[in-house]
Amino acid sequence: MPDRPNRPVSASAIDNHVYKVFPNDMNSHQTVFGGMIMAKCDRLALVVAERHSGHVCVTAAVDSIHFRAPAKGNDTLLFHLALNRSWGSSMEIGARVEAENSYTGECRHILSAFFTFVALDGNDNPVDVPAVTPETEAQQRRFNNAEIRRDGRLQTRKKLNEP
């Protein structure tokens, strides 16, 4: 985009957003309700997308949600989200959630997910967003892997639309 420079990952990332688990967050198995964690990830991913793009954004897709371990009562959830890559008007945001035991300091990786957002102009039409500049080796790896995930999403969409 000639009128908007590339933006570094750090300009829009959310690192260590803290959420304390309470009894109302529990499911019937006495672990944290997965839908609540997913909803918080979606809201935080929206913040990343809007910070990066400077526009209103909407969720276009959520894929590869992996629940790796349960979170339990008295855990503190730590949310880490960052823009992996952008294409035209769309952006992929990666989410990682950890559960921290507030008393022992032990952390467990409990969820990984990828969200695709689209930036919109004032007439609700898709609008181009800045490219993202990875700043670390890990960010470069996520940048490269995002293209592979996008190719898979587009191939799946094409196959589902074929007769």
Side-chain angles (χ1 to χ4, degrees):
M1 292 180 50
D3 59 335
R4 293 185 73 177
N6 291 3
R7 304 214 46 217
V9 172
S10 61
S12 59
I14 294 174
D15 193 35
N16 244 15
H17 176 84
V18 177
Y19 180 85
K20 180 65 178 172
V21 172
F22 284 104
N24 62 308
D25 298 317
M26 308 304 277
N27 61 27
S28 60
H29 189 57
Q30 295 307 302
T31 58
V32 175
F33 180 57
M36 183 275 293
I37 298 172
M38 290 168 29
K40 293 207 174 302
C41 284
D42 189 34
R43 284 179 183 246
L44 294 171
L46 172 66
V47 172
V48 171
E50 290 186 343
R51 280 179 174 173
H52 180 78
S53 69
H55 291 276
V56 170
C57 295
V58 294
T59 308
V62 181
D63 60 30
S64 300
I65 293 177
H66 295 280
F67 287 95
R68 301 171 55 97
K72 300 179 179 174
N74 291 323
D75 277 342
T76 299
L77 302 182
L78 306 173
F79 292 81
H80 311 274
L81 294 94
L83 191 88
N84 291 335
R85 194 161 184 161
S86 62
W87 306 267
S89 63
S90 67
M91 299 159 275
E92 182 191 88
I93 293 98
R96 176 186 171 100
V97 183
E98 297 172 328
E100 175 189 71
N101 180 306
S102 298
Y103 311 115
T104 67
E106 174 199 5
C107 276
R108 300 176 320 282
H109 180 188
I110 64 164
L111 178 140
S112 291
F114 299 99
F115 295 78
T116 302
F117 279 80
V118 172
L120 302 175
D121 66 14
N123 295 314
D124 292 335
N125 295 312
V127 59
D128 283 345
V129 301
V132 63
T133 304
E135 302 167 280
T136 67
E137 285 184 32
Q139 290 171 0
Q140 185 66 52
R141 179 182 44 78
R142 290 192 293 268
F143 178 89
N144 294 339
N145 291 345
E147 186 69 26
I148 296 166
R149 282 187 294 275
R150 181 175 186 256
D151 289 345
R153 286 189 293 268
L154 293 174
Q155 288 175 16
T156 299
R157 183 183 304 156
K158 182 179 176 186
K159 287 178 184 176
L160 292 174
N161 286 331
E162 292 178 353

